[in-house]
Amino acid sequence: MGIPARPGLRVMVASKPVDFRRGMDGLAALVTQVLLADPFAGDLFIFRSKRTDRLKLIFWDGSGLCMVSKRLEARGFIWPPVQDGTVTLSVAQLRMLFSGMDWTQIPARSPPPARLQRPAEKLQSAS
């Protein structure tokens, strides 16, 4: 996809459709005013149109604001329900969304569970 996935990258989807006549400056203003985030922090923001077959991404790459747009030819993207606010995706979910696949089939990444200490390890650490 060409977007570097750095550690800690936040991928935020604006749930409500936006006017797709907006360019990168208008979308950056929406990030600040509606999503209450900083468009220049290095996070990735996804916007949808009223038609489900279009999306726009904006992100800061370290030297400038970038905008990517995509239109699917055969079908629409799978979007979260329309509501106020945002939905946060993992990088794997972003890749699936961008390629037109059902990203909801991949659960959001959660931290690994705490490792339990086995009885043999307890005995060794006690001696």
Side-chain angles (χ1 to χ4, degrees):
M1 197 169 87
I3 298 169
R6 63 169 173 74
L9 175 68
R10 287 190 320 160
V11 179
M12 300 171 70
V13 179
S15 298
K16 282 190 172 181
V18 299
D19 181 353
F20 254 42
R21 295 174 290 183
R22 287 183 182 255
M24 66 176 67
D25 294 326
L27 293 175
L30 280 178
V31 169
T32 303
Q33 297 165 359
V34 177
L35 305 181
L36 305 175
D38 181 2
F40 306 105
D43 297 322
L44 193 138
F45 302 94
I46 305 172
F47 298 92
R48 61 183 286 184
S49 68
K50 288 182 182 178
R51 298 177 61 170
T52 62
D53 65 340
R54 299 158 199 252
L55 66 73
K56 286 185 179 180
L57 314 173
I58 64 166
F59 60 97
W60 177 261
D61 73 348
S63 64
L65 193 61
C66 303
M67 183 172 74
V68 176
S69 63
K70 184 168 184 174
R71 180 186 69 212
L72 289 179
E73 293 298 321
R75 62 194 177 285
F77 292 101
I78 305 294
W79 293 106
V82 175
Q83 59 189 16
D84 286 334
T86 63
V87 173
T88 302
L89 303 182
S90 68
V91 174
Q93 289 172 322
L94 165 64
R95 288 190 175 115
M96 288 188 73
L97 170 68
F98 196 77
S99 48
M101 299 168 65
D102 185 359
W103 59 271
T104 62
Q105 300 304 313
I106 296 180
R109 187 172 182 191
S110 58
R115 185 173 164 228
L116 296 175
Q117 197 173 26
R118 291 186 230 143
E121 291 174 342
K122 287 181 185 177
L123 290 175
Q124 290 174 357
S125 62
S127 31

